[in-house]
Amino acid sequence: MTADSPDTPLPQNTRAIMTFLREHAPFSSMDDPHLAHFAENAKLTFFSDGEEVLSPEGGVVKDFWVVKQGRIRGERFSEKENRAVTTFEISKGECFPLAALIGERPTRTLHRASGDTFCLSIGHDAFVTLFAESETFRDFCLRGVSSLLDQVNQRIQSTAMASIGSSDSLDTPLERFALRAPIVCSPDLPVNEAVARMHENNVGSIVITDDKQQPTGIFTLRDLRMLVAEGVDSLSKPISRVMTPDPCRLLATENAFDAAMLMAEHHFAHVCVVDDNNRLIGVVSERDLFSLQRVDLVHLARTIGTATHLNTLVSLRADVSRLVDTMLAHGADSGQVVKIITTLNDVTVRRVLELNLKQNDPGISFTWLTFGSEGRQEQTLLTDQDNGILFATPEGMTEDQVREKLLPFARKVNDELAQCGFTLCKGNIMASNPKLCLSETEWDDWFLRFIDASTPQNLVYSSIFLDMRAVYGPDEPLRRLFGRVLERIAKNALFQKMLAGNALQRKPPLTMFRNFRYLSDDNKKVLDLKRQGLAPFVESIRVFALANGIKAANTLERLDELAKKGVFDSKDAGAWKESYSLIQAIRMRAHQDMLADNEPLTNYIDPDDLNPLDRRILRESFRQAQRLQQKLELAYQL
């Protein structure tokens, strides 16, 4: 602090300080008495440009600081560069140094004023009082950006909720639905007696259990209708002859979202709820979930999956946008919503394939592959096609002869998917491309060259083809293929390093001083949330996942696996998951706003259109992407 600018207690400015604090999180969510406590104990300090504020040599931190005007930059000495480097910047309304203060230790980073700077501070005793009395403040101090992310998610949820009213959360545990004892029977009970038992209890299903109370099958009213439609002469046969064996089940601790996704993907209406020993404790029906969600997620998936005409599929796609709003209102986070969208997209792709197979079956066994964001199960409403075919070559045919049969079929499927809203890929990454309609052997050779060559084009392709999944057809050929791909990548350190270098080309849109870096001179106020925001996470995490033999394609699942393997610190992984999810949430909300305004969907936003909390969280999320890339640089010495 300069000699001519002494610390100035400001009890007379309590109201002015409170007004300032209310503009910034977490203070914007705190009660007035707690803000008044801060203001009454605050002092204002001026720091000139370059002046030290806190240093590791200053001893245990005693004061809690908030930037009122100007900036504070953090500096650490870099042995690699043999100089002090800026590691972060703290701007107006932000706090420091929380970790040191909570840990009752010196700061590990030199804090220096960047330009003329004014800071508010409160002493240790006032901080302890505020920490003890304000739950909001305490939560922020302990969880930092995570607590602010909760506020953003709550606002997204409440905004969507306004249109449909209140309800329970999709995170509701399934045990909440298992209050009524399930209706069960033994495998040898005749069908007519089982149906009578269902009628007496007014339920739509009966679960067949063994002597350990474990579910071995399920029989539903739909199964009964099928029996009648097939003209079965007698209903006296044992129910084990007509039940659906090995019914889908979830643990009681899993939630409504998990059950809804299972039903939507597989088109059934009941899920068994079991305990840790696989004993049946209840059944959840789609009716239960509809009363929870007030939305026919499962019904929409089933309607898509049983559509008889392409025009029906085209019209049903319009319902997905409404579903996204409803899911957000019911507490689904961005990771859940993109999985919902991807699941409905999968169902649509399968149905288009099925309708075309009915009209013109090429008679070849094949697996329809999907790549990129759909392969990761991370699609939003703005999506194009990235797909391919892995086929089995029948005896007596050449691979070129198989392609001759499959390519016209694939072209028709690609065109019809475009009518359903999946735009044709400008780079021709589609199954109708002969280079992407290959046998297992050809795909294996393709990936061998892909990994060994490491050309610039192949590195670009890595962001597409190394995130792949089977949507239709047998899974086993893809499992075998990808298993070999992972083995080759694990053994090829050069490919990993080049993959890491390519991932670092996607820089988060932050300048050295944490200002937003816009796309171009023509779009000075535009950020691309997909390429600048999400891609740095996706591509960095992909490198670590592939190098460590992780088969999952989804970015958040990869993060969890990397944390389990000890590749990532669990706290770092948590921060990266939250930051990635926040960017995805803002992107989805922007898409919903564009649809409401009848505007074409893009991934561009102007940060000035966001409120101060969203801008701050977005900036922090980009900073987390920078930290992740720094870890990648260190791991591969780039």
Side-chain angles (χ1 to χ4, degrees), residues 246-258:
D246 193 25
C248 276
R249 65 203 74 187
L250 290 171
L251 291 171
T253 52
E254 296 183 83
N255 57 39
F257 175 78
D258 298 319

Side-chain angles (χ1 to χ4, degrees), residues 134-204:
S134 171
E135 182 178 352
T136 300
F137 184 70
R138 180 168 62 254
D139 186 40
F140 170 74
C141 290
L142 295 176
R143 298 200 299 130
V145 72
S146 302
S147 67
L148 303 185
L149 179 58
D150 288 345
Q151 295 181 36
V152 174
N153 287 333
Q154 288 167 10
R155 187 170 58 255
I156 292 173
Q157 180 177 346
S158 63
T159 300
M161 187 76 74
S163 63
I164 64 171
S166 178
S167 73
D168 291 327
S169 167
L170 281 170
D171 291 328
T172 303
L174 291 178
E175 60 190 356
R176 286 267 299 273
F177 299 97
L179 301 177
R180 177 179 177 178
I183 307 305
V184 301
C185 69
S186 60
D188 57 356
L189 188 73
V191 173
N192 57 348
E193 293 186 31
V195 172
R197 192 173 297 181
M198 291 165 63
H199 177 70
E200 290 169 4
N201 290 276
N202 192 29
V203 295

Side-chain angles (χ1 to χ4, degrees), residues 197-226:
R197 192 173 297 181
M198 291 165 63
H199 177 70
E200 290 169 4
N201 290 276
N202 192 29
V203 295
S205 66
I206 189 168
V207 181
I208 297 82
T209 58
D210 58 19
D211 54 4
K212 296 180 180 178
Q213 296 180 288
Q214 296 179 342
T216 61
I218 191 168
F219 184 81
T220 68
L221 291 178
R222 184 181 301 164
D223 297 324
L224 177 62
R225 289 196 297 268
M226 291 178 63

